[in-house]
Each structure stands twice: as structure tokens, then as C-alpha cells.
Amino acid sequence: MDSYMNTLSKSLPIQSAIQAIQQRIPATVAHKLEDFYKRTSRNELIFVGAATFLTVYNLAKYIKAKRQKLNLPPAVPFGLPFLGHVLYLTFMPNKFVDWCNKNYGEIYSLNILGRHTIVTNGKCAEEFMKADINVLSMDQGSVRDILRLHYVIDEQSLIDSREIIPVAAKVSIPQKKMPYYIPGIEKGLETAIYKCFSKNGPTVVKDPSDFVQNLVAHMGVPTLIGKEVGDNEEVIRSFAKFTDDIVSNIKYWATVPEFLHPYIRPFIQPGSKHKEVMKKYISQVITERRAKMRAANEAGRDHELDENMLQVLIEQTCGVDEKTGELIYLSDQRIYDSVLSIAFASVHTTTLNLTYSIYWLIARPDLKEKLEEEIKEYLHGDTDFSWEALQQMKFLNNFIREVLRQGVALIAHGKQAMEDYTFYNGYQVPKGSTIDCTMRQMNFGSSANRSTIETMDPEASLNKLSSSPSKDFVTFGMGKHVCPGRFFAILEISMTLVYLLKHFDFNTLNGKRPQPLKNLAGIHMTYCEDPLIFTPRKTIL
């Protein structure tokens, strides 16, 4: 440390800074600053410097916005240096958000780690969720600012993920097609259980996240992509791990200054390996299907290929050739790159909510018992899954809807204002602002409502469909931006819960009651990570 300090003391900029301090502030204060500097480690100096930089940078943006003479939302006071309001969101999240909503109205500004974030609730939140994506952009918000998907997915694929993939989802996995997917989901689920579980007794799952991602990938690959790769372990593993790699890296992007990201990306973002897997295997499927389509067209008959998401993308046009007048189809690369976007969209949300569901059933044995009784009534013994039976299981529907409502973050859905934006009540946010909404408050009327394990209440859903968004159920979005894959995700969750309960008794490995949800500073919600144990039933339900 002494040699480090001696080296620094010879630096001309630092000498100049010390002289400036000595000239402009009292000697006692200068002495305390110099003493603090000598006692501080290199890492601590880096942290303080980075935090100071972020604070000054965001303060400058805030002052600039003030000078624009916009009618800015009120700023919540009592923020702490560097941390802003993060401690309140960490240790008293529900009460703090409700207090802000009550005292500052439907829109206000919070300081989160030195960054000013506009928070909406009530009608402003509804307006925020329904706004045009070119005005309030999630792509420029959470997709790039938090997930950093543009680090592993090229610009064209990001465009396709918001313009083409949602259309493909509406065509390939609408509610009316769910009965068609049941056999494929069931086969994928059985395959995953056979591979992951012990054949001779209980199975201990030390990494629940990896386990559930594996289940979801086994169900999703053969149904969404195709039977050709339904048993391909490389594709299935990449389908599952791509999501995990993206999410696990969020902590690095949040703590490392952005100008340093290019230097650390090669070491912590292994997205290229997943691209190579998709290129290797999915391109073969595309080539084979196009050959079958040509042959069928020449023979004047239907190609009879499964109309899954991959097939819809293969048949998707993107223009007309000006010279020949022929339709232009998506290139092979755009298609197999899009499969990674499908992987993230299908695996991430389903994994979160399926994991929540498992831990909720463990934490609330009474709910587990009710669901087991319903399974005995509609899908007992060797009864095959059917759409009709699942639709009759009202408690299963209510339970999943409640899990989906509980699983949202207090402040979430980050978007960026692409232009100065005026809300219905006259408050304005400047271009470039980050905007969130209080999703839990929207789901429950108050962030504190039903916020404990004991008050989790599926019956409060009153048999409303878990796939139908409403003003008090915004987990899947609102308006024209509602998630088009929600029907498929709910079907996967429903079938997995029924299958696991029919064949296994499951609990935490330590036998203790888990906390199903983990709040991370009020801005991110994640699942419990307690190891699980699955014990085969002597007789299936």
C-alpha cells in the first residue's frame, strides 16, 4: 500500500488536486481528506470514484432537464449519498413504494444508485404500459440497459425479436392450438425427468434454477422448434443455458462502468457458443424443410410440416424482389439467430414462474393438498393429459394466476423515453429518461397487500383465467403489448406441476419452509435457491 501511495504521490494531476484542496478548503478538512485517502484501499477508491462519477453524471442530466423547463414529476426526497433510495427499497420495499404512491401521486422520481428513475402507478402506469414502443422503448430500456442483449444478439436479430417473433408466436401458439401441443410437452417433460432423476430412490436437486431450465427446454425445443432436434442434447442445453448466461451477467453490467464493458465482455458473455450450436443444427432443419416445401409445391400438395414457431419463421416473408417480383423470405441466419431470442423469451419467464410455483407449494402445504385433491378428481392415475381436464381444474388456474401476480418486481418494466413525453396529467419526462411502473401495486392495489406467505390467496382470483390480462393482472403486459406466448407458458407450468405432484413428493432438502420470492433492492425479483428433494410416490395420484 505504501509503494502504491508513493507512486500516486508523484503523479502530477494528483499533486495538482492536493494543492487545489489545500488552497480552497480549511486545513482541518484537507487533513481529513488526505487521511481518508491514505487509509483507503485501491478497490475502495475505485468504488467511490465510480459512484461519484455516476452521481455527478446523473445529476448533470437532471439539471439539464430542469433547464429545459419541462413540467417534471416530483422528486422523492431522503435519498442517501451514492445509494439514493435503494436501502428503503431493500429493507422496507412495500411500505416505501406505497408511501411514495400516496404522497407523490401517480408519477415521481426516485434515485436508484445515483440514477434518476421515473416511477409510475395508477393511470400513468397504464399509459406507460400501453405506450407505443417507438416512444417509450423497452428495447432501449431493460433489453439493452439491464439485460445487455445487444452484446450477444446483433441489431437485426433484436429488430426481428420485437417485429417478427411476436407475429410468429400469435400464429403458431395461440390459445386454440394449445391442445395440439399437449402430447409434445408431455413427452419432453417425461424425457427430462427420466434423464435428471434417480431411478432408485429420491433425487436431490442442488441447483433448482438449472433443473427447471432443463425441464422447460426439454418441453420447448421439440414443440416450438421441431421434432428434428427434440432429442438433441446440444440444442436443448444451449436453449436452457443461453437464458442463464444472460441473467447471471446482469450483476456485472450493473456494477462495472459502461466504458469498461468492452474489455470484460469477452470473458463473461459466452453468447457465441450458443450461436454456433444453432447454426450447426437449426440450419440443417431449415434446409431440409425448405427442400420438402419445394417438393410439395412442385407436386401440388401441402407440405404437411408442423406449424410451430420455426416453421412460421421459415415461411415468413420480408419483401418482394424488385426485378423478379418474387417474395423474399428470411435468410437462414436470421432464422437460426431468432431461435436464440425464442429461447430467451420462452425459457426465462417460464422458469421463473414454474420455480416460484414449486416453492409456493412447499411453503404452503394447504395449497399443495388442495391441488393434489383436484388432480385426483380430474387427472387421477394413468389418465392422459387433456385440454378439457386442464380447463376444468379451477384451483390450478387460480393458483398459477396468483403465482404470476406475486412474482413481479415492485418497480419494473424499464423503458426509455425516445422523445420528451407528456403524461395525461401534464407531467413530462425528458428524452433519454428511464421509466418504470409499480407492477405489484397494479396487481394488488397496494404493494403491501398479500405480501406474506400466509396471505398468498389463489381463491382471490375468482376463477379468472390466468392467461387473461386485466387492470389488476399486468404480469403479461397490457393492451397490444401483451405477451403472445402466455398460453404456451401457462400450459407448460400447468402440466409440469400436475406431473410432479402425481409422481413425486417434493420438499426442501433441509425440511425448512422456503421463502418463494427474493426481492433484490425492489427492482428485481428472483426465486428461492434452496436445494430440493424429490421422492417418488409408491402410487401415483
Side-chain angles (χ1 to χ4, degrees):
M1 183 68 184
D2 290 337
S3 61
Y4 169 60
M5 292 299 300
N6 290 334
T7 302
L8 286 179
S9 66
K10 297 175 183 179
S11 168
L12 184 59
I14 291 179
Q15 286 180 345
S16 301
I18 293 174
Q19 291 173 1
I21 290 173
Q22 291 174 339
Q23 292 171 3
R24 289 172 173 79
I25 62 177
T28 54
V29 177
H31 177 73
K32 289 182 179 180
L33 287 174
E34 185 177 356
D35 183 58
F36 167 78
Y37 182 69
K38 289 180 178 180
R39 289 186 291 104
T40 306
S41 69
R42 185 196 304 259
N43 289 337
E44 289 171 333
L45 284 173
I46 292 173
F47 173 79
V48 172
T52 303
F53 170 78
L54 289 172
T55 301
V56 173
Y57 174 74
N58 284 287
L59 181 61
K61 288 177 65 178
Y62 185 72
I63 293 173
K64 181 180 178 181
K66 280 286 190 181
R67 289 176 176 173
Q68 289 178 312
K69 296 184 179 179
L70 298 177
N71 183 27
L72 298 176
V76 176
F78 313 119
L80 302 174
F82 307 130
L83 298 175
H85 298 99
V86 165
L87 288 184
Y88 307 122
L89 289 168
T90 300
F91 296 106
M92 45 187 293
N94 296 316
K95 290 183 178 180
F96 178 68
V97 170
D98 286 343
W99 179 84
C100 290
N101 292 346
K102 179 181 178 181
N103 289 277
Y104 297 95
E106 293 186 351
I107 182 169
Y108 49 83
S109 174
L110 290 180
N111 182 333
I112 300 176
L113 294 176
R115 180 173 186 166
H116 288 277
T117 299
I118 304 299
V119 180
T120 62
N121 64 90
K123 291 183 179 179
C124 281
E126 293 178 23
E127 180 180 346
F128 158 82
M129 295 194 78
K130 294 178 180 179
D132 189 289
I133 60 173
N134 295 313
V135 178
L136 298 184
S137 172
M138 184 175 290
D139 175 67
Q140 295 296 325
S142 57
V143 170
R144 297 173 188 261
D145 202 33
I146 298 176
L147 297 172
R148 305 283 173 172
L149 280 178
H150 61 299
Y151 287 173
V152 291
I153 298 178
D154 62 38
E155 192 63 33
Q156 182 60 61
S157 296
L158 285 173
I159 293 172
D160 290 345
S161 69
R162 64 177 183 268
E163 295 182 359
I164 293 179
I165 292 178
V167 175
K170 290 178 182 178
V171 172
S172 59
I173 49 176
Q175 186 176 26
K176 66 181 181 180
K177 289 189 177 180
M178 288 304 102
Y180 165 79
Y181 285 110
I182 287 177
I185 292 175
E186 184 174 13
K187 181 180 178 182
L189 184 57
E190 290 175 343
T191 300
I193 295 296
Y194 179 80
K195 291 178 179 179
C196 298
F197 279 20
S198 170
K199 311 299 185 297
N200 302 306
T203 297
V204 174
V205 175
K206 295 182 179 179
D207 187 346
S209 173
D210 183 74
F211 165 69
V212 176
Q213 284 172 352
N214 201 31
L215 289 182
V216 174
H218 272 86
M219 291 185 285
V221 169
T223 49
L224 297 177
I225 308 305
K227 298 173 184 176
E228 301 96 326
V229 289
D231 295 321
N232 187 310
E233 282 300 320
E234 281 191 76
V235 174
I236 290 172
R237 194 62 186 154
S238 204
F239 212 78
K241 288 300 292 179
F242 178 67
T243 296
D244 190 50
D245 290 342
I246 295 295
V247 175
S248 63
N249 287 333
I250 291 176
K251 56 182 177 290
Y252 300 119
W253 309 135
T255 55
V256 176
E258 189 165 355
F259 70 89
L260 293 176
H261 288 187
Y263 302 101
I264 66 173
R265 278 171 55 184
F267 303 101
I268 65 172
Q269 192 69 285
S272 58
K273 65 181 182 182
H274 301 299
K275 286 187 176 182
E276 289 303 312
V277 170
M278 298 305 155
K279 180 180 180 180
K280 180 179 179 180
Y281 295 106
I282 304 302
S283 60
Q284 293 178 10
V285 177
I286 297 170
T287 300
E288 291 170 2
R289 290 195 191 181
R290 281 184 165 154
K292 291 179 181 179
M293 291 166 65
R294 282 193 298 270
N297 185 56
E298 292 170 359
R301 56 180 174 79
D302 186 78
H303 56 62
E304 297 181 348
L305 293 166
D306 291 340
E307 196 180 47
N308 51 35
M309 283 199 71
L310 180 61
Q311 184 61 30
V312 173
L313 290 174
I314 292 173
E315 297 179 15
Q316 177 70 44
T317 60
C318 56
V320 178
D321 190 303
E322 294 182 358
K323 294 182 179 179
T324 65
E326 294 181 352
L327 294 173
I328 300 174
Y329 294 89
L330 296 179
S331 67
D332 288 9
Q333 181 178 346
R334 284 180 70 179
I335 295 172
Y336 61 68
D337 280 350
S338 292
V339 171
L340 281 180
S341 298
I342 295 171
F344 183 80
S346 63
V347 173
H348 178 55
T349 303
T350 306
T351 295
L352 276 175
N353 289 291
L354 179 51
T355 308
Y356 293 154
S357 298
I358 291 171
Y359 282 106
W360 273 116
L361 289 174
I362 296 172
R364 288 285 302 276
D366 58 318
L367 303 183
K368 187 178 179 182
E369 184 179 350
K370 283 186 179 181
L371 188 49
E372 288 173 344
E373 290 302 316
E374 190 171 62
I375 291 171
K376 292 176 184 177
E377 182 178 356
Y378 294 104
L379 287 168
H380 66 281
D382 294 324
T383 303
D384 292 331
F385 278 105
S386 70
W387 180 250
E388 293 73 22
L390 290 171
Q391 294 302 104
Q392 290 177 336
M393 299 178 70
K394 301 302 182 184
F395 184 78
L396 174 63
N397 169 81
N398 291 340
F399 172 75
I400 292 175
R401 188 175 187 271
E402 178 75 359
V403 169
L404 290 166
R405 296 175 78 198
Q406 291 278 354
V408 299
L410 274 79
I411 298 174
H413 227 55
K415 297 182 180 181
Q416 185 178 122
M418 305 307 293
E419 57 188 51
D420 292 348
Y421 185 82
T422 302
F423 280 88
Y424 86 97
N425 58 6
Y427 280 117
Q428 299 170 296
V429 295
K431 178 181 178 180
S433 297
T434 298
I435 311 175
D436 285 320
C437 67
T438 55
M439 288 191 74
R440 183 175 173 82
Q441 175 269 329
M442 295 181 74
N443 277 350
F444 292 103
S446 164
S447 295
N449 282 351
R450 303 218 297 276
S451 59
T452 65
I453 292 177
E454 291 75 17
T455 55
M456 195 271 200
D457 184 13
E459 300 294 353
S461 285
L462 302 173
N463 297 334
K464 296 176 183 177
L465 290 178
S466 55
S467 59
S468 298
S470 60
K471 289 185 178 181
D472 64 347
F473 180 39
V474 299
T475 304
F476 286 121
M478 293 186 75
K480 61 183 179 181
H481 306 312
V482 67
C483 174
R486 64 192 184 279
F487 304 111
F488 189 81
I490 291 171
L491 181 59
E492 286 184 309
I493 294 171
S494 301
M495 291 180 63
T496 303
L497 292 178
V498 171
Y499 188 92
L500 291 177
L501 285 170
K502 280 170 68 76
H503 294 84
F504 301 94
D505 181 31
F506 50 86
N507 200 352
T508 53
L509 183 60
N510 59 19
K512 296 181 180 179
R513 185 188 213 184
Q515 185 69 40
L517 307 175
K518 291 170 61 177
N519 168 50
L520 302 180
I523 55 177
H524 184 61
M525 191 69 74
T526 188
Y527 37 72
C528 180
E529 296 178 347
D530 293 349
L532 301 170
I533 182 168
F534 290 80
T535 304
R537 295 184 185 274
K538 294 181 179 180
T539 304
I540 63 175
L541 294 181

